[in-house]
């Protein structure tokens, strides 16, 4: 019997980073290879219209239609039948009692400001299918008091109450289809972190002072419906919805008569300098302190699995399954015209990604070639780190040489015609951007860090490996490829030809074999 399989994420969407992409890739592969296995992506964060997210991703060919998407908080409530209210009917009713203005700042023409005798009282938004998404309510002094969020079926699902001084959420109510509340969530004062949750069940009322305990309770409720399950723990981060204990603790505390629990190591498990000479990061403590309770621990590189077994033993517990990236146009792009001045970075703006280092490298490249430029694909969080990055670009006089392109789903747009991809992370679990770039015939010049670059790149053959923090060496390697186009072309061709260990077929086989083993009564 195939276990019903749940791969966990915090949120799901078309525009997400490498971890989310990797989990989606796995779910798609397993669903395609094993039609008799039920595969779920289970999200923990607050996503009201999760069905629309799934629809969009299927339409974009990012998600296999066999993969089910479920939000854990949704599973505790009871939905009612579809009673979608049309946008025209809703606006007609509003106009009978209020004055309604289009929000002209949004080109989508989907949002409206509502006034009562000249006082701004509501802000209303619809989605692309004219379904009501939310309504904001305001005080006479234009402070947001609360937001009502709606499901695709027209049901009021969540009410968020806001502080009038900070405009941050203070509490949230989650509602059944009949309008009664089944869950109240409190935020810490002046913070988005969760603090207390109150569950109002039919036969029990429970208080949770730790969100991790709430999630374990909700998982127990959900998984009890299935005779045999597999549940994954995918991230160790401290998040607003898991501020005290991380997902490993949540998963390990789940009780079920026939369950297999797996953990995937998407990231490096050391603190700075992020190699085997360093201490173990505290966010991994739960995973390692309770090793005997896992059915399997998977890493993306054999090197990381080896480091773990050397430290903790349990050799049979650790498995290495590299990520995969199969490019449908591999090889074709290699023959595309190369812009001899163009370099690429594909990354989030995050501390361990150290995008600022690629900016310092570009300063040295531009010193040699004033026409050189860098196209940056990815996203930031509009936080101090992103502001510091823009300040560094200005300080190094690179404003005309650094182009921010945003997030793209068509990776050919990012890589086509580049001399090379610069990869300057301090710490990785794998480095999907390396695989993506090589699959398009674009060599990668990377720091040799834990983990990923050395497991994917053969130095001088399919790309370049540079000792970490050697900025000048990395810049010189980039300049060398820029000035020797035939060397660069040969390296790109070899990069494409070196990806068999990372093929979809090999990836699928690895995961099916592991899951089949976990399906059995003995692990």
């Amino acid at each position: 019997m195939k276990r019903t399989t749940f791969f966990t994420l915090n949120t799901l969407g078309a525009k997400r980073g490498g971890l989310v992409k990797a989990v989606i890739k796995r779910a798609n592969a397993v669903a395609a290879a094993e039609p008799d296995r039920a595969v779920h992506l289970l999200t923990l964060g607050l996503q009201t219209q999760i069905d629309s997210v799934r629809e969009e991703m299927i339409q974009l060919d990012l998600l296999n239609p066999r993969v089910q998407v479920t939000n854990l908080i949704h599973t505790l409530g009871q939905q009612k039948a579809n009673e979608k209210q049309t946008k025209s009917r809703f606006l007609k009713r509003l106009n009978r009692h209020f004055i309604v203005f289009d929000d002209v700042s949004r080109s989508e023409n989907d949002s409206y400001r509502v006034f009562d005798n000249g006082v701004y009282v509501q802000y209303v938004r619809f989605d692309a299918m004219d379904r009501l998404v939310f309504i904001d309510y305001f005080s006479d002094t234009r402070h947001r008091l609360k937001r009502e969020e709606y499901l695709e079926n027209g049901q009021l699902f969540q009410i968020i109450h806001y502080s009038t001084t900070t405009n941050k959420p203070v509490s949230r109510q989650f509602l059944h289809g009949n309008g009664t509340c089944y869950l109240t969530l409190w935020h810490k004062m002046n913070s988005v972190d969760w603090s207390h949750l109150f569950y109002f069940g039919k036969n029990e009322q429970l208080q949770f002072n730790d969100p991790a305990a709430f999630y374990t309770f909700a998982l127990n409720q959900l998984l009890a419906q299935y005779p045999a399950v597999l549940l994954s723990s995918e991230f160790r981060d401290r998040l607003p919805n898991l501020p005290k204990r991380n997902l490993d603790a949540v998963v390990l505390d789940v009780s079920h008569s026939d369950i297999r629990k797996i953990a995937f190591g998407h990231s490096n498990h050391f603190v700075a300098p992020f190699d085997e000479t360093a201490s173990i990061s505290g966010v991994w403590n739960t995973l390692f302190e309770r090793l005997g309770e896992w059915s399997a621990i998977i890493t993306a590189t054999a090197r990381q699995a080896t480091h773990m077994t050397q430290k903790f033993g349990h050799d049979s517990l650790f498995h290495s399954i590299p990520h995969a990236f199969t490019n449908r146009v591999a090889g074709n792009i290699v023959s595309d015209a190369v812009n001899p001045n163009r370099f690429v970075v594909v990354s989030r703006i995050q501390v361990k990604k150290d995008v600022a280092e690629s900016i310092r490298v570009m300063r040295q490249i531009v010193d040699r070639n004033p026409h050189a430029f860098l196209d940056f694909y990815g996203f930031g969080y509009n936080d101090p780190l992103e502001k510091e990055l823009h300040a560094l670009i200005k300080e190094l006089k690179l404003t005309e040489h650094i182009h921010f392109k945003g997030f793209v789903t068509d990776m050919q747009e990012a890589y086509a015609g580049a001399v090379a991809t610069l990869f300057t992370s301090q710490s990785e679990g794998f480095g999907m951007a390396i695989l993506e770039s090589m699959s398009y015939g674009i060599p990668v010049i990377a720091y040799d860090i834990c983990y990923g670059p050395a497991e994917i790149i053969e130095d001088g053959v399919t790309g370049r490996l540079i000792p970490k923090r050697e900025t000048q060496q990395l810049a010189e390697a980039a300049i060398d490829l820029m000035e020797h186009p035939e060397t660069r072309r040969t390296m790109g061709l070899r990069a494409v030809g070196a990806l068999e260990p990372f093929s979809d077929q090999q990836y699928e086989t690895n995961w099916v074999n592991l899951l089949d083993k976990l399906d059995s009564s003995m692990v």
Side-chain angles (χ1 to χ4, degrees):
M1 179 178 65
K2 302 291 187 184
R3 293 177 181 276
T4 302
T5 300
F6 293 87
F7 297 129
T8 52
L9 289 168
N10 204 42
T11 62
L12 181 68
K15 296 182 179 181
R16 292 294 188 276
L19 186 154
V20 175
K21 284 184 180 179
V23 178
I24 293 169
K25 174 79 174 182
R26 184 198 314 156
N28 287 342
V30 173
E34 299 192 292
D36 53 343
R37 183 187 300 278
V39 180
H40 298 253
L41 288 174
L42 183 63
T43 63
L44 308 183
L46 299 173
Q47 287 189 278
T48 300
Q49 297 198 324
I50 194 69
D51 291 342
S52 294
V53 173
R54 180 175 183 269
E55 291 169 11
E56 178 192 14
M57 295 186 68
I58 291 173
Q59 291 171 3
L60 293 172
D61 199 26
L62 299 176
L63 189 67
N64 185 312
R66 285 200 61 252
V67 177
Q68 298 302 309
V69 176
T70 304
N71 179 267
L72 188 56
I73 291 177
H74 287 226
T75 65
L76 295 173
Q78 299 169 358
Q79 292 192 23
K80 62 181 176 181
N82 194 321
E83 56 174 39
K84 173 179 172 283
Q85 186 166 200
T86 65
K87 177 179 174 180
S88 60
R89 186 181 304 167
F90 187 91
L91 291 176
K92 185 177 181 180
R93 192 178 77 245
L94 275 180
N95 276 302
R96 282 203 297 264
H97 304 283
F98 306 101
I99 302 298
V100 181
F101 291 92
D102 291 355
D103 180 0
V104 295
S105 67
R106 289 181 58 83
S107 59
E108 296 89 341
N109 192 31
D110 61 0
S111 301
Y112 302 86
R113 302 187 192 278
V114 181
F115 288 79
D116 181 10
N117 195 29
V119 178
Y120 181 36
V121 292
Q122 294 179 27
Y123 183 81
V124 183
R125 177 165 297 166
F126 297 85
D127 66 12
M129 298 179 67
D130 287 349
R131 296 176 297 201
L132 182 60
V133 177
F134 67 79
I135 304 174
D136 283 339
Y137 295 85
F138 296 88
S139 71
D140 291 349
T141 54
R142 228 173 70 205
H143 287 99
R144 181 166 54 177
L145 301 174
K146 68 177 182 178
R147 168 176 290 185
E148 296 177 346
E149 293 192 346
Y150 293 79
L151 300 179
E152 292 89 346
N153 67 358
Q155 173 187 327
L156 175 58
F157 167 70
Q158 178 184 189
I159 303 175
I160 309 170
H161 301 273
Y162 291 88
S163 164
T164 56
T165 55
T166 66
N167 198 35
K168 291 181 178 178
V170 174
S171 66
R172 301 170 186 261
Q173 296 168 266
F174 298 91
L175 309 177
H176 292 298
N178 63 8
T180 60
C181 177
Y182 65 86
L183 181 69
T184 292
L185 184 165
W186 287 357
H187 291 276
K188 289 182 179 178
M189 276 300 193
N190 300 319
S191 171
V192 295
D193 284 1
W194 297 11
S195 61
H196 295 72
L197 296 105
F198 304 87
Y199 173 71
F200 309 99
K202 183 176 181 180
N203 299 312
E204 59 181 348
Q205 292 76 46
L206 301 171
Q207 176 178 336
F208 301 93
N209 298 330
D210 180 356
F214 161 75
Y215 276 126
T216 296
F217 162 77
L219 281 168
N220 283 334
Q221 299 287 104
L222 170 65
L223 301 182
Q225 306 171 42
Y226 304 93
V229 298
L230 182 143
L231 177 65
S232 76
S233 180
E234 301 287 348
F235 53 85
R236 339 243 92 77
D237 298 335
R238 293 281 190 265
L239 300 170
N241 53 324
L242 283 169
K244 297 180 180 179
R245 295 184 298 152
N246 63 19
L247 184 57
D248 289 335
V250 172
V251 170
L252 288 173
D253 287 347
V254 167
S255 298
H256 190 283
S257 59
D258 193 358
I259 189 170
R260 298 291 180 263
K261 302 173 182 179
I262 67 172
F264 197 98
H266 290 274
S267 60
N268 183 307
H269 60 284
F270 295 113
V271 298
F274 309 110
D275 59 32
E276 58 269 26
T277 67
S279 302
I280 302 296
S281 170
V283 298
W284 288 77
N285 286 345
T286 299
L287 185 148
F288 292 128
E289 289 171 356
R290 300 172 66 178
L291 273 178
E293 299 177 51
W294 296 106
S295 302
I297 297 171
I298 305 98
T299 62
T301 69
R303 183 180 175 190
Q304 186 172 21
T306 298
H307 285 166
M308 289 179 175
T309 55
Q310 288 173 345
K311 176 72 174 179
F312 300 103
H314 294 270
D315 292 29
S316 62
L317 190 63
F318 293 96
H319 305 262
S320 172
I321 301 181
H323 295 310
F325 186 84
T326 297
N327 181 356
R328 297 184 182 127
V329 295
N332 296 337
I333 196 170
V334 181
S335 60
D336 287 352
V338 174
N339 185 326
N341 303 312
R342 180 175 182 257
F343 292 90
V344 168
V345 166
V346 178
S347 175
R348 289 179 295 131
I349 300 175
Q350 193 262 354
V351 172
K352 290 183 181 180
K353 300 293 184 181
D354 201 5
V355 177
E357 178 67 2
S358 64
I359 305 303
R360 289 187 282 268
V361 169
M362 279 306 299
R363 179 62 267 171
Q364 297 195 32
I365 294 173
V366 170
D367 285 344
R368 182 76 67 89
N369 177 2
H371 301 292
F373 65 93
L374 173 70
D375 283 341
F376 178 88
Y377 293 86
F379 59 87
Y381 302 94
N382 196 29
D383 58 4
L385 186 65
E386 185 172 358
K387 292 178 173 63
E388 288 172 11
L389 183 68
H390 287 282
L392 177 64
I393 292 169
K394 187 174 181 180
E395 176 189 340
L396 296 180
K397 296 181 173 57
L398 288 172
T399 306
E400 301 300 319
H401 299 272
I402 309 293
H403 307 145
F404 287 88
K405 299 290 190 176
F407 186 95
V408 290
T409 54
D410 179 6
M411 299 313 299
Q412 182 170 347
E413 177 186 335
Y415 294 112
V419 174
T421 294
L422 306 182
F423 192 85
T424 57
S425 287
Q426 299 181 46
S427 165
E428 290 282 350
F430 185 76
M432 275 297 294
I434 299 174
L435 214 57
E436 291 174 351
S437 181
M438 289 174 63
S439 77
Y440 285 100
I442 309 302
V444 179
I445 308 170
Y447 283 142
D448 186 4
I449 59 166
C450 291
Y451 297 93
E455 283 75 34
I456 307 172
I457 299 169
E458 183 178 357
D459 185 35
V461 179
T462 61
R464 291 301 314 274
L465 290 172
I466 308 298
K468 59 183 178 181
R469 293 294 188 179
E470 292 294 337
T471 307
Q472 184 175 344
Q473 282 192 44
L474 198 144
E476 288 173 353
I479 292 166
D480 184 66
L481 290 187
M482 188 169 54
E483 295 179 345
H484 296 89
E486 191 54 40
T487 300
R488 180 259 172 218
R489 172 178 165 77
T490 300
M491 193 173 283
L493 287 168
R494 288 173 177 164
V496 172
L499 297 180
E500 179 56 32
F502 311 102
S503 68
D504 279 351
Q505 182 177 2
Q506 186 60 54
Y507 178 81
E508 185 178 285
T509 299
N510 290 340
W511 271 107
V512 168
N513 287 345
L514 177 60
L515 294 181
D516 284 348
K517 178 181 177 183
L518 294 170
D519 283 336
S520 65
S521 57
M522 297 296 292
V523 180

